[in-house]
Structure formats: C-alpha cells, structure tokens
Amino acid sequence: MRLFATTVSILFLLVNDSVATSVLSEPAPTNKSNIPDPGGEDWGYLDVRPGAHMFYWLYTSTAASDPTTLPIVIWLQGGPGAGGSGHGNFKGMGPLDLELKPRNTSWVHHVNILYLDNPVGAGYSYVDDLKDLANNATGIALDLVSFMKLFYEKYPDFKETPVYCFSQSYGGKMAAHFGLEMANAMKAGEIESNFKGVALGSAWISPIDSTTSWAPYLLQAGLVDTSRFKMIDKYAAKCRTLVEKGEWKRATRCWSNTEVLITILTHKVDFYNIMYKTSPTLGKSDLQTDDEDEEDNEVQTRAFDFNFRSDDENGLSINDLMNGPVFDKLSATLHHLNHWSDQSADVFKANWVDFMKPAVDIVEKLLEETNLTVAVDNGQLDLICNTPAQLIWAENMKWSNVSDWIRAPRNAFTVNGFTEGFVKRYGRFSFWWVNRAGHSIPYDNPLGSIVMMRDIVGLPREENAGITEEYLAESKKILDKIF
Ligand SMILES: *[C@@H]1O[C@H](CO)[C@@H](O)[C@H](O)[C@H]1NC(C)=O
Ligand SMILES: *[C@@H]1O[C@H](CO)[C@@H](O)[C@H](O)[C@H]1NC(C)=O
Ligand SMILES: *[C@@H]1O[C@H](CO)[C@@H](O)[C@H](O)[C@H]1NC(C)=O
Ligand SMILES: *[C@@H]1O[C@H](CO)[C@@H](O)[C@H](O)[C@H]1NC(C)=O
C-alpha cells in the first residue's frame, strides 16, 4: 500500500487563543535589570551559536508587583519548526488572542511567560546558513542551554526565579532533552539557574507508540470500521519494524504515510482534536506516489492545508497576523527577515532522521539522575499524540518509583465544580489527563490548563479549583461496601 504518498511534513503543534490591539505597544519601561514591569513585555534575539539567532518574547506577569517573585514558564512549540512566538502566544495562552483582543485566560495572569522560537530556524529565529540548523534533540537542547546563559546575562534579576519548561508535541521531546542538559549544566556549575522542571504536553516522547495507537484510537472513537482499522494498523506495524531496525529515515517516511492513509480513510479527521469539524477535501500535494527509495528528505509544507483547522474560522490566520500587525510591531528587531512561517520546512527536514527517535530514556534520566519535576499532560481528544500511547511508555518506564506511581490514586481536578481532568502523581512525576482538550491543551481547555499549570509550578490553587482527594475517599467507602 503505497498509494499515498509522502512527503508530508507534519506538524504538530498547535496552539491557541486571545488578546487586544492596545497591546501592540512599546515595551514597558524597566526597573530591575531590564525586566519589564508587570504586564509588560520584551523581545529580541540572543545568538546561541555563531550564525544561530534565537528569537524570544518575554511577557511579565500581571499577578505580582515584582515579576521575579513569580515563576517563568518557557513555552516550546512543536513541529519541529513551529514558533512559540506565534502559535503558543496568539493561538495559545499569551496575553492577546488572534484578533489581538485581551485573553483573560492567559497564563500571564499567573506567571511570566517566555516564548521561544525554537529551534533556531523556527518562527522569527534564523540561521545565517542552513547548515547551522540543529539536526537532533541534543543539539537543540544545547542551544537552549546556551540561550538561558545569555538570558540571565540580559536579565540577571531572574537568576533565582523558578523556571519551568512547558511544551507541546515535538516541543515535549525537546523539553525533555532541554531539562536534562540544564540539569547537567547546573550540576557542572556552568550555569546559575533555578530551573525546576519540565511539563511534557501532548508530547512526542515515544513516536512509535503514538503511531501504532492511531488505529485503535480511531476504531474506538467510531472514525473507522474494522477493515479500515486493519489497513492502518498493518501500515503502522511496518513503521514499528523500521524503528526496531533503526531505519530512522524510512521510519519518518512511514509515519508520514500512515498519517496520509488515515486522513483519507477518515475523510480528514483532525489529528489535533478529533471533535473539530473538517471537510473532506484533500490538499493538492497529498496524492503523489511514494517511492521508498526516493530521497526521504523532501519535505513539503502541505500539512497545514491538510491537518489543520483553518484559522480563518476565527478571523486572521496566524501567518497573516505574524506577517502583518505583529511583524510591523517588531519590525525594528526583525528588519532582516522576509516573513514568519508557521512551520519551517528547513527545520523539519534537518531533523528528519531524528524525528522518530524516542526520548523515553531521557525522561527516565530526568527522574533518576536529576532533581527536576516531570509532568506529562495530555488532552483526551488528541489523536496525533493520543493519551493511550502516553500511558504505554509512562507505565513501562524504567525508574525506581514506577510501580508506586502506577498504584498511586488518580484524583480528579475541577474548576467551578466541573471535572476538567485527572492527575496521578508520585514523587517528582505527575501525569495529567485533561478533559475536552485535544493537542493544544491551553486552547481547548483554558481553565483546566490553568489549574494544572499552577499546580505544576507550585502556585496555590485558586478558590474555584480543586483536586478532589475527598471525593476519592468518599467513593472508596462506597466501593468497599459494594465489592
Ligand atoms: C473572561 O471573559 C469571559 C467572557 O467575557 C467572562 O465570562 C469571564 O467571566 C472572564 N473571566 C475572568 C476571570 O475575568
Ligand atoms: C547531534 O547534534 C550535535 C550538536 O549539533 C552534534 O554534535 C552531534 O554530532 C549530533 N548527533 C548526531 C547523531 O547527529
Ligand atoms: C539533588 O538535590 C540534593 C539535595 O539538595 C543534592 O544533594 C543533589 O546533589 C542534587 N542532585 C542533583 C543530580 O542535582
Ligand atoms: C521516589 O520515591 C521516594 C520515596 O517516596 C522519593 O523520595 C523520591 O523523590 C522519588 N523519586 C522520584 C523521581 O520521584
């Protein structure tokens, strides 16, 4: 079965939600070592290597008069090749939404947010020469450590501030590696930082478990019948064989083809939230024939016309926004750039061979060899990085407390009396199931995402939010009576 072709680029990532015109103002005056006043912002480039320029956008929280007293949440988008400055920011949990209206569910009302266009080459970040692109997760993580060193030089008053790296999709794989490299650099005394943990959101940690979980997930969700299930399952099994043989380049092609197969058989299910409406038209580049001998590195950026909900439903598209009003606002900084792209084909292509490699061993190291906290968070409606796949690797991890974690209670968390998801934790590891959310958790379930984020970064629960240990205790009494 190789009707379907290839060349996909994929995409991962996604993000979400809200803001206002007025925000497009100049950075607020600073008081402490360049740190913007509460509710302010700053942006710019830090050169993580010669020829490698990383763009960041920092928003200080509105929740305290001294931003250094609140955690910094770094946001890493996926792809690889999607920039947090656009997706995570305007379509995620930044202070303004796609229409530049204020977003009252922005995380900035709780923490400082640092969006990175990572790796270099994504978003507004750029390299002088394409050969300067990082081509594996370790290289990407080392660039991020280098970024942090420069960040503290620029904003020394943040040195003691707790830092957590949140992420989405391929960003989760990069966040795991980043955490490990940060812990190593801190231990070696190479950097002074209060980096505390990572949150691996909708994360591409075990790519093959995600790929082989697509067929059963679709069957259970009523999106395919048994014969289509078998077609997809069989194709995904081929990908597993390639992964087991270490044929990484072909494995990525196989994964991409499995996506195309599913897209066709499901009339274009939305990989990022199976509840979203889609219409069954195919993109023009979807039906090329596949030749497995052909150079796999040909990546086309067609996935956005294929797998993504059209931004137009909600107004301005992210590309229009980032190349229009946002570009104008940042133009003094961005003078050398032609445009922002929602997904860099060059970055994806550079990481093609690394794409299907797992990071489970990295998560194990985070738990065994560092003091960092590790959270895994996933939306129940995400297909591409579905929750059943995350459970497979999480429950099979080799770290000393894994069986304690598996046996730990699973508590519900609520907002305004409604169940928004569940959490199960032991020691420094927590696993979050988020209800009514797909790939982009802050976009689909903003209130649930805030409860979760505050908990992960160690902020007190808000009045209307809860984690129901009591409910669990009560229900146990009833269950004990009946069974
Ligand atoms: C956020 O905005 C919505 C819609 O205007 C409103 O119903 C809600 O109360 C607001 N929430 C907060 C925390 O201000
Ligand atoms: C990964 O990237 C690093 C840094 O760019 C590089 O030194 C290393 O050779 C790369 N590893 C592989 C397997 O390509
Ligand atoms: C973890 O924290 C303990 C207590 O502060 C410290 O002794 C130890 O060196 C730390 N381990 C690592 C890997 O940083
Ligand atoms: C494992 O459990 C022990 C005992 O509860 C705890 O001290 C330790 O921090 C745990 N390790 C992790 C990685 O959670």
Side-chain angles (χ1 to χ4, degrees), residues 49 133-140 142-143 354 357:
R49 272 181 284 123
L133 292 172
N135 68 2
N136 64 64
T138 304
I140 292 170
L142 291 172
D143 281 352
D354 211 44
K357 291 186 186 164

Side-chain angles (χ1 to χ4, degrees), residues 67-74 111-112 148 152 158-165 193-197 457-459:
T68 63
T69 61
L70 289 169
I72 295 175
V73 163
I74 293 174
V111 293
N112 305 298
M148 290 307 291
Y152 289 125
F158 270 134
K159 264 192 191 157
E160 317 251 301
T161 301
V163 178
Y164 293 83
C165 181
S193 169
N194 192 8
F195 191 93
K196 304 271 275 197
V457 305
L459 290 173

Side-chain angles (χ1 to χ4, degrees), residues 53-98:
H53 317 282
M54 190 172 294
F55 181 80
Y56 71 93
W57 199 333
L58 169 70
Y59 294 94
T60 48
S61 182
T62 57
S65 54
D66 178 359
T68 63
T69 61
L70 289 169
I72 295 175
V73 163
I74 293 174
W75 181 261
L76 298 186
Q77 207 64 49
S85 72
H87 295 284
N89 188 3
F90 294 99
K91 291 182 76 191
M93 73 317 266
L96 299 182
D97 67 14
L98 268 181

Side-chain angles (χ1 to χ4, degrees), residues 15-86:
V15 186
N16 338 317
D17 245 274
S18 2
V19 199
T21 12
S22 58
V23 179
L24 297 185
S25 56
E26 287 309 303
T30 56
N31 43 16
K32 303 176 87 168
S33 344
N34 293 329
I35 294 176
D37 290 339
E41 59 187 329
D42 199 5
W43 60 81
Y45 286 101
L46 295 176
D47 294 345
V48 296
R49 272 181 284 123
H53 317 282
M54 190 172 294
F55 181 80
Y56 71 93
W57 199 333
L58 169 70
Y59 294 94
T60 48
S61 182
T62 57
S65 54
D66 178 359
T68 63
T69 61
L70 289 169
I72 295 175
V73 163
I74 293 174
W75 181 261
L76 298 186
Q77 207 64 49
S85 72

Side-chain angles (χ1 to χ4, degrees), residues 367 399 401 426-429:
L367 292 168
W399 64 288
N401 297 351
Y426 193 88
R428 287 179 284 110
F429 183 60

